Amino acid sequence: MNKNGIAIVDDHLLFAQSLTSLIATLDKYEVLFHSLNGEDFICKLSTQTTVPNLVLLDINMPVMDGLETMGWIKENYPALRVLALSMDDREETIIKMLRLGARGYLLKDIHPDIFEKALDDVLIKGFYFSDRITNTILDSIDKKEETDKLRLKEREMEFLKLACTERTYKEIAEDMFLSPKTIDGYREVLFEKLEVKSRIGLVLYAIKNKLIEV
């Protein structure tokens, strides 16, 4: 059986070695190479005869970090599927990675079974986001009808698109010339309409329904 090739980009050698050992126990996957940072990844990728099916990308790395690397991948290998794997659980970092085209975001303390499911989902469904990161369920987005977009009012759509940026809710209120309390109201209305529970859920909905470009 042909295995799916994985590239690991992480500057922590011990973690990368442990991850390589874990992947070696999975029937459908194999590690093609390991890179210490984005610059090293670009160099090694250029020497590969086969492009990896999936890249496991750390965020905080020297020389060229995960965000810079994700930007390069988006520009040069847009079809390459990337799963972010990091200890950084900040909302702004997750949103940046989603906007750059990451197909999933995992924290490094996940259970091995969840890790394998994430690999499967990214390759089969195209996305994976755990409840811990998104606080929402992608399946509920898949089931929403196209009419949902039509139910969004113009100002709600404006808020949704701004929520998919790095701007804080306070800055969004200033951009829309509204009070923070009114912005909180828009947020809660969209949470209910779109059946999501977090800002990350809003971003996922916008990406899945092509309301923003990634």
Side-chain angles (χ1 to χ4, degrees):
M1 179 179 70
N2 291 331
K3 294 191 175 186
N4 295 294
I6 293 177
I8 298 173
V9 187
D10 196 303
D11 63 317
H12 293 96
L13 284 175
L14 186 59
F15 176 80
Q17 290 171 358
S18 298
L19 192 58
T20 299
S21 298
L22 172 61
I23 293 171
T25 68
L26 307 179
D27 294 335
K28 294 179 288 185
Y29 302 98
E30 64 179 349
V31 174
L32 298 181
F33 63 90
H34 165 237
S35 302
L36 293 172
N37 54 62
E39 188 175 283
D40 186 31
F41 167 74
I42 293 171
C43 181
K44 288 183 178 177
L45 185 63
S46 67
T47 66
Q48 295 291 309
T49 55
T50 303
V51 176
N53 300 99
L54 182 64
V55 176
L56 298 176
L57 181 61
D58 191 16
I59 305 299
N60 298 311
M61 298 178 291
V63 184
M64 187 174 183
D65 66 19
L67 289 167
E68 293 177 283
T69 306
M70 191 68 241
W72 183 90
I73 291 173
K74 179 181 180 180
E75 183 71 25
N76 295 275
Y77 288 84
L80 185 54
R81 299 190 177 193
V82 177
L83 185 58
L85 189 58
S86 176
M87 291 303 295
D88 188 344
D89 62 354
R90 291 176 298 171
E91 188 176 73
E92 59 268 29
T93 302
I94 298 170
I95 291 175
K96 285 179 183 178
M97 288 299 287
L98 295 181
R99 290 301 303 265
L100 287 170
R103 301 301 188 95
Y105 201 106
L106 295 175
L107 297 180
K108 287 184 174 181
D109 60 355
I110 60 167
H111 190 280
D113 290 344
I114 297 177
F115 174 71
E116 183 176 11
K117 183 183 186 314
L119 299 182
D120 292 343
D121 280 4
V122 168
L123 292 179
I124 296 171
K125 298 179 181 179
F127 288 92
Y128 176 83
F129 296 94
S130 68
D131 289 342
R132 180 173 175 184
I133 290 295
T134 66
N135 223 3
T136 189
I137 302 174
L138 279 176
D139 287 345
S140 68
I141 298 175
D142 292 331
K143 293 174 184 175
K144 300 296 286 179
E145 296 181 354
E146 202 66 18
T147 52
D148 277 339
K149 284 184 281 188
L150 302 178
R151 292 197 295 116
L152 295 185
K153 298 174 183 177
E154 183 178 347
R155 292 289 269 175
E156 290 173 346
M157 186 68 75
E158 182 181 355
F159 168 76
L160 176 60
K161 291 181 178 180
L162 285 170
C164 295
T165 68
E166 300 166 28
R167 302 185 73 73
T168 65
Y169 285 126
K170 181 180 179 181
E171 290 170 333
I172 291 173
E174 293 173 353
D175 288 345
M176 295 181 69
F177 301 101
L178 297 171
S179 69
K181 185 175 180 180
T182 302
I183 288 298
D184 289 343
Y186 275 119
R187 182 186 64 226
E188 295 307 315
V189 167
L190 286 185
F191 280 179
E192 182 175 352
K193 276 190 175 183
L194 306 181
E195 296 183 7
V196 299
K197 300 177 182 179
S198 69
R199 185 170 180 175
I200 304 303
L202 294 177
V203 177
L204 289 177
Y205 178 88
I207 290 174
K208 295 278 287 182
N209 288 281
K210 296 180 170 55
L211 300 179
I212 60 172
E213 293 184 3
V214 296

